[in-house]
Amino acid sequence: MKTRTIGIVLVVAALLASCKQDRLPNGFPDKDEFAEILSEVHLTEAIINQMRIKNRGIDSTANNYYHHVLAKFNLTQEKFDTIVNWYLAHPEIYQDVYDESIAMLSEKQAEWQREVKGIEDEMERKRKEKEARNVWKDKKNYFISLKDTFDRRIPFELNVDTIEAESYRVSAFYQFLKGSRVEKPTLEVMAFYEDSTLDTLTYKLHNTHISTKAELMIGLNKDLKILRIEGYLVKHDTMEEIRARIKDIEFVFQPKVDSLEMDSVNFESFNTELPKIE
C-alpha cells in the first residue's frame, strides 16, 4: 500500500513539473496568437522572396515590411527570436502551433491569390482599353542605320478627325548606338486643329547608349478638336550619321470623358504570386 502511494505521488509530481515546465513565460503570446504571428511572418517572407527575385535592390523595402509585421504584434526581432526558440524547445507545443499556422497560411494564401487574380484581370482590362486607344498602327520598333534607304527621320502622319479626344500622348524608347554622330535629335509632333491653327511640339532626345523613354502630350491646353497629327520620330540633320533603336512606340488618345485613369495607377509593382505551401 505504501509503495502504491509513493508511486502515485511520483506521477503527480512529474505531471506538475511537466505543466510548470511547459507553462508559457509571462508576456509570451498564447498558442493561437503565436500561430497567427507565424502565419503572418511566413506570408511576409514569401512575399519578400518574390520581391527580391523581381528586384535585387528591394532589400531595404522588404526589411521594412518585415519589421512592420512584427510591430503589428508589438514584437521586436529580438523578442520574436526568443519566443521562437522557446517554442522550439517545447516541440509538442510547437507542433500544434505550427499546424495551426499552416492552416491559417493556406487561407491567407488563397485570399492573396484572389487579390492578385483580381489585379491581373484589371491590368489586362486596362491594357486592352489602352491598346484600343492607340492610334499608332505602323511598326512599333525601328532600327536605323546609314544603310537604310527610307527617310531616317521616320516621318509619320495620323488622321484623327473621327476621334473625340481630349489629348494625345506619344511615347517611345530611344537608344543611340555606337557610331552615331547625331548632335541634336528631337521628337517633333505637329497638331492641326479644326480652326486651321497648328501646334508644334518638340522633345529633345537624350543622345545616350541607354534606352530612354521620351514622351509628349498634345492638345492638353486646347478645347479645339485635332484633325491631323504629323511629325518625325527622330528629327535630325540628315547629313549626320545615325545608328539608333526606337522601341515600344505608342500614340494613345485620351477620350473627353475618360474614367479609365490608365496612367494614374501603377500596377506593375504589384505582381507577386506566392509559392505553393508544401
Side-chain angles (χ1 to χ4, degrees), residues 11-102:
V11 170
V12 171
L15 290 172
L16 290 174
S18 175
C19 291
K20 183 177 180 180
Q21 181 180 6
D22 291 345
R23 185 179 300 163
L24 287 171
N26 290 333
F28 274 35
D30 61 25
K31 292 197 298 182
D32 291 339
E33 184 180 2
F34 191 55
E36 173 70 16
I37 294 171
L38 281 182
S39 68
E40 290 274 355
V41 169
H42 287 323
L43 182 67
T44 301
E45 288 175 345
I47 294 172
I48 288 173
N49 287 336
Q50 290 293 326
M51 292 168 66
R52 284 174 175 152
I53 291 171
K54 293 176 180 295
N55 186 347
R56 294 183 180 180
I58 204 70
D59 281 353
S60 176
T61 302
N63 289 334
N64 288 338
Y65 188 22
Y66 182 79
H67 290 304
H68 173 75
V69 171
L70 292 182
K72 176 180 175 181
F73 297 97
N74 296 317
L75 294 175
T76 63
Q77 181 68 57
E78 182 179 5
K79 187 172 182 180
F80 175 73
D81 292 340
T82 299
I83 295 170
V84 170
N85 289 333
W86 185 90
Y87 271 95
L88 289 175
H90 300 78
E92 292 185 2
I93 298 177
Y94 181 74
Q95 187 61 51
D96 291 340
V97 170
Y98 182 77
D99 291 344
E100 185 177 352
S101 73
I102 290 298

Side-chain angles (χ1 to χ4, degrees), residues 87-151:
Y87 271 95
L88 289 175
H90 300 78
E92 292 185 2
I93 298 177
Y94 181 74
Q95 187 61 51
D96 291 340
V97 170
Y98 182 77
D99 291 344
E100 185 177 352
S101 73
I102 290 298
M104 290 181 178
L105 185 56
S106 297
E107 294 179 4
K108 292 178 187 294
Q109 183 189 36
E111 180 181 354
W112 173 263
Q113 288 176 336
R114 285 193 296 270
E115 292 179 1
V116 169
K117 179 64 165 58
I119 290 171
E120 288 176 344
D121 290 346
E122 182 67 5
M123 287 174 61
E124 179 62 15
R125 183 185 71 81
K126 290 182 178 292
R127 185 196 66 77
K128 289 179 178 179
E129 289 176 347
K130 183 179 178 182
E131 184 61 29
R133 292 185 287 128
N134 188 5
V135 297
W136 183 269
K137 303 306 178 184
D138 291 335
K139 291 166 51 177
K140 294 184 181 296
N141 303 302
Y142 286 89
F143 174 76
I144 309 170
S145 74
L146 286 175
K147 296 180 180 179
D148 295 322
T149 56
F150 59 81
D151 189 337

Side-chain angles (χ1 to χ4, degrees), residues 71-236:
K72 176 180 175 181
F73 297 97
N74 296 317
L75 294 175
T76 63
Q77 181 68 57
E78 182 179 5
K79 187 172 182 180
F80 175 73
D81 292 340
T82 299
I83 295 170
V84 170
N85 289 333
W86 185 90
Y87 271 95
L88 289 175
H90 300 78
E92 292 185 2
I93 298 177
Y94 181 74
Q95 187 61 51
D96 291 340
V97 170
Y98 182 77
D99 291 344
E100 185 177 352
S101 73
I102 290 298
M104 290 181 178
L105 185 56
S106 297
E107 294 179 4
K108 292 178 187 294
Q109 183 189 36
E111 180 181 354
W112 173 263
Q113 288 176 336
R114 285 193 296 270
E115 292 179 1
V116 169
K117 179 64 165 58
I119 290 171
E120 288 176 344
D121 290 346
E122 182 67 5
M123 287 174 61
E124 179 62 15
R125 183 185 71 81
K126 290 182 178 292
R127 185 196 66 77
K128 289 179 178 179
E129 289 176 347
K130 183 179 178 182
E131 184 61 29
R133 292 185 287 128
N134 188 5
V135 297
W136 183 269
K137 303 306 178 184
D138 291 335
K139 291 166 51 177
K140 294 184 181 296
N141 303 302
Y142 286 89
F143 174 76
I144 309 170
S145 74
L146 286 175
K147 296 180 180 179
D148 295 322
T149 56
F150 59 81
D151 189 337
R152 292 187 292 274
R153 297 174 299 174
I154 316 294
F156 61 86
E157 179 177 345
L158 304 170
N159 291 314
V160 293
D161 56 309
T162 61
I163 299 175
E164 294 296 328
E166 181 179 272
S167 61
Y168 292 82
R169 178 177 60 84
V170 57
S171 64
F173 285 86
Y174 290 81
Q175 181 182 21
F176 292 88
L177 307 176
K178 185 177 180 181
S180 184
R181 298 289 186 268
V182 178
E183 291 188 6
K184 297 179 180 180
T186 59
L187 165 62
E188 181 177 279
V189 180
M190 294 172 285
F192 296 83
Y193 295 91
E194 59 185 345
D195 66 347
S196 300
T197 57
L198 166 69
D199 272 346
T200 300
L201 298 92
T202 59
Y203 183 100
K204 184 179 178 181
L205 299 172
H206 298 284
N207 197 348
T208 173
H209 298 321
I210 300 172
S211 182
T212 306
K213 188 175 184 178
E215 183 175 283
L216 270 178
M217 296 296 297
I218 304 107
L220 275 178
N221 301 319
K222 286 207 174 185
D223 294 328
L224 296 170
K225 183 177 180 179
I226 298 175
L227 302 181
R228 191 171 81 257
I229 299 172
E230 298 179 6
Y232 300 94
L233 286 181
V234 55
K235 190 175 182 180
H236 63 283

